[in-house]
Each structure stands twice: as C-alpha cells, then as structure tokens.
Amino acid sequence: MITILSGGTGTPKLIQGIKEIYPEEEINVIVNTVENLYMSGGYIAADIDTVMYTFADMIDDEFWYGIKGDTFIVREQLIEMGTTELLKLGDRDRATKLQKAILLDEGWTLSEIVELQKEKLGVKATIIPMSDEESEITIVTKEYGEIEFHDFLIKYQCKCEVLEVKYGNVKPSPKLIEAINESDKVIIGPSNPITSIRPIVSLDGVVEALKEKEVIAVSPFVGKSAFSGPAGQFMNAFGYESSSIGVAEIYKPFLSKFVIDNQDAEFKEEIEEIIPNVIVTNTFMKTIEDKINLAKVVLE
C-alpha cells in the first residue's frame, strides 16, 4: 500500500504514471481541501476532483482542471443572462460539484461524498480529503490586504506581493492517519509546498505519522522556477528560498528521499546536507513515458 499527498496540478501528473505500473486498489491519495469553496450552487473541491478525474481517465490534461471534452452550455447561458463566474465550470464537472453541495446539505461528510463519487466513476484508489471540516486559506498581500485564494489566482493573476498565507485550523479526516500508518511508502508529489502540501502536514498527528514511514518527495522546482503556479511567491512569504533547497527545508522533519531534476544536479551536495538521500533524474512530465519513468524512480 502507498499513500500520496496531493494538490491539484503537479501530483496528478505523477499519479498518471504511478497508476500505469502500480495496482490502483493499493493507492491512497490524501488531497488538500483548503482551496474548497461554494460557488454557483455547487461545492468546488477542485483538487479532489482533479485527482478523481485523473484516476478515471477523464481529466482535461491541458488545464489540469475539469473534464476532458466537457461542454459549457450552462456557463454560456449564465454569461448571456448577465451572470459571471470566477471559475470556468463545464457541464459534467458542474454536476459533480452540485451533487457535493446537495449531499453536504443533507448531512453527508465530504469523505462520504468523495467515496460515492469515485465509485460511480469506477475509481479503485482510495481518495481521502485532508479534512471533512470547512477549510480556509487566505492570502495576505501588500497591495490588497487579505484576499481569497481564487481571487489571488484569477482576479489578480498572482500579480501581488505575498506577505503571509493563513490556513484555518481543522481536524484531519477520519481515515487520514490510518492511511499513512498502513502504508509501506508515502509519496509527496510535485505540488505547491505551501498551499497544497503544508496544509496536510500541518494537521494534528500527520508529521508524527510520517516520521515512522519512508517518505519520498518530488521537487516542484527547477532552479528558482516552479513547474506551475505561484509556489515561489508563497515560499518567499514563509522565508524559504524559491528552489528545491527551500522545499527540502520545509520537508526536512519527515523526508527520507528527495527527487530533483537533472538541471538541479549542481545543488545535490547542498541539498544532501538537509536531506541525506537525494535522487537526480528527469522530473519534467511532458509525455506519459516521462510520467511512468518518474513513477518508477519514486516507487523503487
């Protein structure tokens, strides 16, 4: 059994490779929930849905959001009638989010809903929301003060100086610690260390559980640049270098092995002063072959 800690972009690419060579029913994925929100009558759990759609071979892997080949009839009609939406929701993807809102209103937990939806999509892996409580994330910026995460990403296009990132204080979901304890290996994918992974490892009992396991992480950085998103801005706000070295510092308390890209080979010795076991390989995942090859490195 393996457990993967995931956000919504980098790690699902790695999951595509892992599921090709590892039994899906022996995979747990613990997914960040701090970016969840209600919108247009639905409950948006984008990172969870991206992981679920990835296992179901439905993900729109051009944007790593939503369902491949989805239509946008509802959205287009809303816009025509004068209503705008912050996020672009396809029709089938919207149904997933509407069902979440309906079932939450009926008293279901998020974990129960995800279990139902992933089974309906034929997903054999176990997908675990990091918490069933309402998680929150707030970005404190120099220009606009405290703003919502999706406003930072979409409305302001990440063009703000980030001073701080705040999380809500929530309890881990019921199966989270158990999943780690029962795993032979824990994998941290190349997701944003601050907004995707840190909220998970900040939960009560998670670091302690990770310290008892072999934990291997893939860096989301090459040089000073992240593969995607504003990870560097968030790293700097917490006082970490925007690089694989900074990521190693964040994961130092529980990490066994660290995978960095060939282009960062010159930093291997410096990183080994933080994480003793550093593996250098290609971490760019442009093709399915790239993803499978990186999955092999991680699993071996």
Side-chain angles (χ1 to χ4, degrees):
M1 185 69 70
I2 62 170
T3 291
I4 303 169
L5 308 189
S6 181
T9 305
T11 303
K13 294 179 182 179
L14 180 60
I15 288 172
Q16 279 188 328
I18 290 175
K19 76 186 191 71
E20 293 297 316
I21 61 174
Y22 198 85
E24 188 177 319
E25 61 272 15
E26 295 179 16
I27 301 173
N28 301 315
V29 186
I30 298 169
V31 190
N32 165 48
T33 61
V34 295
E35 299 166 25
N36 294 6
L37 76 159
Y38 282 93
M39 192 190 82
S40 299
Y43 185 73
I44 315 294
D47 289 2
I48 289 172
D49 290 346
T50 294
V51 168
M52 186 165 63
Y53 296 156
T54 297
F55 277 110
D57 296 322
M58 298 167 58
I59 187 67
D60 183 340
D61 53 11
E62 180 180 357
F63 301 103
W64 288 96
Y65 182 87
I67 295 174
K68 179 167 48 182
D70 210 345
T71 56
F72 294 87
I73 297 170
V74 174
R75 177 178 172 81
E76 290 164 2
Q77 184 67 20
L78 285 171
I79 292 171
E80 186 175 325
M81 296 171 68
T83 298
T84 59
E85 292 181 309
L86 186 64
L87 300 177
K88 185 178 180 180
L89 299 181
D91 298 318
R92 295 172 66 200
D93 185 33
R94 190 183 297 271
T96 301
K97 291 157 174 54
L98 287 172
Q99 185 185 43
K100 282 189 179 69
I102 292 167
L103 295 180
L104 284 169
D105 188 57
E106 291 179 1
W108 291 51
T109 67
L110 183 57
S111 292
E112 291 169 341
I113 295 166
V114 171
E115 183 69 16
L116 170 71
Q117 291 186 330
K118 67 101 177 177
E119 288 183 357
K120 292 292 185 181
L121 294 177
V123 174
K124 297 178 182 177
T126 299
I127 301 174
I128 304 169
M130 76 172 213
S131 180
D132 284 336
E133 297 180 356
E134 283 298 319
S135 310
E136 296 179 353
I137 182 170
T138 303
I139 312 300
V140 184
T141 67
K142 181 178 180 180
E143 296 84 354
Y144 307 106
E146 294 190 1
I147 59 176
E148 298 289 335
F149 181 78
H150 290 91
D151 283 339
F152 172 80
L153 286 181
I154 301 168
K155 182 178 180 179
Y156 299 110
Q157 296 291 299
C158 307
K159 295 176 181 177
C160 315
E161 182 180 344
V162 179
L163 303 178
E164 188 180 355
V165 181
K166 298 180 179 179
Y167 312 126
N169 185 21
V170 295
K171 296 178 181 178
S173 57
K175 294 183 179 180
L176 190 151
I177 300 297
E178 178 185 346
I180 295 173
N181 289 340
E182 294 182 351
S183 293
D184 300 302
K185 178 179 292 192
V186 178
I187 298 165
I188 301 177
S191 293
N192 190 311
I194 300 297
T195 59
S196 292
I197 304 302
R198 198 170 183 270
I200 300 173
V201 301
S202 297
L203 295 170
D204 287 346
V206 173
V207 169
E208 291 75 11
L210 291 175
K211 285 179 178 179
E212 301 299 318
K213 296 295 174 180
E214 180 185 9
V215 183
I216 182 167
V218 178
S219 176
F221 280 85
V222 173
K224 301 286 186 180
S225 301
F227 282 119
S228 65
Q233 291 169 267
F234 298 138
M235 297 274 288
N236 294 155
F238 276 83
Y240 294 104
E241 180 178 309
S242 175
S243 69
S244 293
I245 296 169
V247 178
E249 290 283 2
I250 295 173
Y251 296 162
K252 179 181 178 180
F254 49 79
L255 198 61
S256 310
K257 298 178 183 177
F258 194 38
V259 180
I260 63 174
D261 190 74
N262 291 324
Q263 296 183 50
D264 276 355
E266 62 184 292
F267 304 114
K268 182 175 187 289
E269 291 186 6
E270 185 175 354
I271 295 173
E272 284 177 336
E273 295 178 6
I274 306 167
I275 309 295
N277 195 337
V278 177
I279 301 165
V280 181
T281 189
N282 174 48
T283 60
F284 280 82
M285 292 183 283
K286 296 181 179 179
T287 67
I288 188 61
E289 290 76 19
D290 292 338
K291 296 165 187 174
I292 290 172
N293 289 336
L294 184 56
K296 288 178 179 177
V297 171
V298 169
L299 291 172
E300 291 171 0

